[in-house]
Amino acid sequence: MTSQADHDALTSSAYAQALEVIGAVEPRIAEATRAELADQRASLKLIASENYASPAVLMTMGTWFSDKYAEGTVGHRFYAGCQNVDTVESIAAEHARELFGAEYAYVQPHSGIDANLVAFWSILAHRVEGPWLQKAGLRGVNDLTEADWEALRRELGNQRLLGMSLDAGGHLTHGFRPNISGKMFHQNQYGTDPETGLLDYDALAAKAREFKPLVLVAGYSAYPRRVNFAKVREIADEVGATLMVDMAHFAGLVAGKVFTGDEDPVPHAHVVTTTTHKSLRGPRGGMVLATEEYAPSVDRGCPMVLGGPLSHVMAAKAVALAEAKQESFRTYAQQVADNAQSLAAGFTSRGAHLVTGGTDNHLVLLDVSSYGLTGRQAESALLEAGVVTNRNSVPADPNGAWYTSGIRFGTPALTTRGFGHDEFDTVADLVVQVLSSTQPGTTKAGGPSKASYVLGDGVADKVKAASAEMLDKHPLYPGLDLA
Ligand code: PLP
């Protein structure tokens, strides 16, 4: 067993040497890598979809597994020599099944979008293609004539998907028109209650009854509340829909047992998709969990919509999932949720307006229109002061999806650095200082601008100094010294 000091020294020397090796080939990349660490260390990272993976997870991605092709599934590959990839994929899937209590786990998707594509096409394969082939008396797609293809394609392209609208907090892949999900399906969207900003289950049920979707998608990117997935499953069952939950944002809270019972999507959904790099704190990637019923079609992710899996990332997923099984991850996940409450309370006590009035997950959505700003202006002013966030639509946003009226804040990253209640209260104070000191700017022609802004003199420096004090007390990768 190595001591923490030994472990830190090992990590520092491994990275220092790796950067030397990289620098010998392309010094500018080694330099940019060092600069990225310095920037991440020096900024208040409040982007709800970002985190800091452990050095073990990061290092796992930098190996020769990157070089191996392994299309197919464990034990059934289209390439020779995949025995070690089989090992890492099996371990990652085993951890995922155990951690989430899932009947089946598919760890190949390269990202959240890929995981959703796998899910959509698995559902179409299971619910549409399979029964259609059976009815036509055909064994598989290889038996189709040109006329059969035409008919099957029409059938596959004529299905309905109901998802949460983007301005209510849903994701692009949940049926947003510019995304493929809004084109390959007849799509319809549900929103939130205009008064409370909360998910209205009765309105969702009414829409589902009227629209009769094949796929009902729950899950979100910017909804600051928990969802009762048992209720959503009841709605799906009533209308004969497959329930797909995209837990990309809150997978860490599910893994850490903050969301249990009706708030845990895994026992209620037919198919659950996720990213592995947000609150789950793993490598960038995606994953699909499914019931036994959907497992065979999900297993066909490659070749259905995926090519060769990223074996090095699957290995890193296994390491991250092993970390998420530890007791300390539960403490972390609870702290993420507690910190979001502290941040929300800090904003509210300083007069800021929050969508839904607060939070009970890991994110807070601040409506910046009361400061006379667009989300774009607020995001830029905050960045100038070293506060990294992203602008986001609010329900029925008058400024649309580009300029927006909101700023989304998330607690997973700074919680990884060890921030607690007091620090998040200070964060709220700093953010409010910036927003109250920012004025909308003008266009070159002198008209009102939705993008330019003017931040009061000295505010950025003052906020950066206050942030630096907190960040210094909670260093990122504390033992990592590249000097
Ligand atoms: N699903 C949800 C709910 C998300 O918030 C995101 C990313 O922000 C994704 C899917 C897509 O993930 P990725 O960027 O890994 O494709």
Side-chain angles (χ1 to χ4, degrees):
M1 189 76 186
T2 50
S3 69
Q4 187 59 44
D6 289 343
H7 185 267
D8 290 347
L10 265 179
T11 309
S12 300
S13 126
Y15 272 113
Q17 290 176 44
L19 286 168
E20 239 173 80
V21 173
I22 297 164
V25 181
E26 177 44 289
R28 290 172 300 176
I29 295 300
E31 218 24 67
T33 308
R34 284 175 183 273
E36 180 60 22
L37 177 62
D39 287 354
Q40 293 211 16
R41 280 179 157 164
S43 58
L44 273 185
K45 174 146 99 168
L46 288 154
I47 293 183
S49 46
E50 292 187 7
N51 211 327
Y52 304 105
S54 71
V57 168
L58 298 178
M59 281 180 176
T60 309
M61 282 187 281
T63 78
W64 24 95
F65 268 122
S66 170
D67 300 329
K68 188 73 197 101
Y69 246 107
E71 285 179 10
T73 48
V74 174
H76 187 76
R77 306 282 184 187
F78 293 88
Y79 288 78
C82 297
Q83 58 282 2
N84 299 310
V85 180
D86 281 356
T87 302
V88 300
E89 183 169 353
S90 304
I91 295 172
E94 175 191 294
H95 280 322
R97 285 193 308 273
E98 287 176 8
L99 179 63
F100 292 106
E103 289 174 9
Y104 169 78
Y106 186 65
V107 298
Q108 292 194 17
H110 309 163
S111 68
I113 279 206
D114 281 3
N116 286 350
L117 272 179
V118 169
F120 292 146
W121 281 101
S122 304
I123 295 167
L124 287 170
H126 182 66
R127 297 276 316 267
V128 179
E129 185 181 285
W132 190 93
L133 290 172
Q134 214 176 14
K135 219 162 87 191
L138 299 164
R139 277 189 309 128
V141 286
N142 294 332
D143 295 337
L144 296 180
T145 63
E146 274 309 308
D148 290 334
W149 263 125
E150 205 42 50
L152 176 56
R153 273 215 313 274
R154 242 196 319 275
E155 193 75 12
L156 288 168
N158 241 334
Q159 302 302 323
R160 296 171 189 205
L161 174 140
L162 178 62
M164 194 181 212
S165 69
L166 198 65
D167 71 349
H171 187 252
L172 301 168
T173 52
H174 300 178
F176 186 55
R177 284 262 188 245
N179 181 261
I180 189 169
S181 58
K183 297 187 172 96
M184 64 186 248
F185 286 108
H186 293 296
Q187 57 79 256
N188 205 329
Q189 309 262 284
Y190 58 89
T192 45
D193 182 277
E195 293 297 314
T196 62
L198 297 172
L199 186 52
D200 178 344
Y201 295 92
D202 292 337
L204 166 54
K207 193 154 238 178
R209 278 181 208 119
E210 190 192 331
F211 187 60
K212 298 205 173 15
L214 177 85
V215 190
L216 175 56
V217 183
Y220 50 79
S221 296
Y223 178 67
R225 295 289 175 178
R226 301 184 187 193
V227 173
N228 183 325
F229 294 110
K231 265 194 198 170
V232 185
R233 173 61 187 260
E234 268 175 37
I235 297 168
D237 284 347
E238 188 192 325
V239 301
T242 296
L243 176 59
M244 168 181 154
V245 175
D246 179 350
M247 65 169 182
H249 256 266
F250 54 90
L253 301 185
V254 178
K257 310 298 173 215
V258 177
F259 290 3
T260 56
D262 292 351
E263 294 164 355
D264 176 351
V266 181
H268 303 293
H270 299 94
V271 180
V272 175
T273 59
T274 187
T275 54
T276 46
H277 48 271
K278 303 185 205 271
S279 54
L280 196 53
R281 210 164 59 183
R284 296 197 78 87
M287 210 159 65
V288 182
L289 308 175
T291 56
E292 292 288 359
E293 182 191 356
Y294 282 83
S297 55
V298 172
D299 218 31
R300 284 161 48 202
C302 166
M304 205 160 42
V305 294
L306 299 177
L310 309 177
S311 307
H312 56 310
V313 181
M314 290 197 298
K317 285 173 190 171
V319 173
L321 291 164
E323 288 177 348
K325 277 174 150 178
Q326 292 168 11
E327 196 52 41
S328 56
F329 192 86
R330 290 194 184 197
T331 311
Y332 163 72
Q334 187 57 53
Q335 193 63 53
V336 166
D338 292 348
N339 283 343
Q341 301 265 356
S342 303
L343 182 64
F347 281 139
T348 309
S349 68
R350 291 170 177 89
H353 174 65
L354 302 183
V355 174
T356 78
T359 179
D360 49 31
N361 56 23
H362 64 297
L363 67 88
V364 173
L365 190 56
L366 177 62
D367 186 336
V368 294
S369 49
S370 59
Y371 298 97
L373 301 171
T374 62
R376 174 98 192 263
Q377 289 161 329
E379 178 192 85
S380 304
L382 287 166
L383 184 65
E384 188 182 327
V387 184
V388 187
T389 62
N390 69 292
R391 63 189 187 278
N392 210 98
S393 303
V394 301
D397 200 313
N399 287 318
W402 179 249
Y403 292 108
T404 81
S405 304
I407 294 285
R408 187 183 66 162
F409 298 88
T411 54
L414 290 178
T415 304
T416 296
R417 284 184 80 148
F419 276 41
H421 168 81
D422 292 349
E423 288 86 356
F424 272 100
D425 185 60
T426 305
V427 168
D429 187 48
L430 298 177
V431 167
V432 170
Q433 280 188 43
V434 172
L435 298 180
S436 334
S437 317
T438 304
Q439 302 295 324
T442 51
T443 61
K444 280 193 185 122
S449 168
K450 288 187 172 190
S452 66
Y453 67 96
V454 183
L455 177 58
D457 280 348
V459 177
D461 287 343
K462 195 171 136 208
V463 168
K464 276 185 184 164
S467 302
E469 215 174 286
M470 289 189 293
L471 292 167
D472 287 349
K473 277 195 200 132
H474 300 284
L476 173 62
Y477 303 125
L480 179 59
D481 181 3
L482 295 182

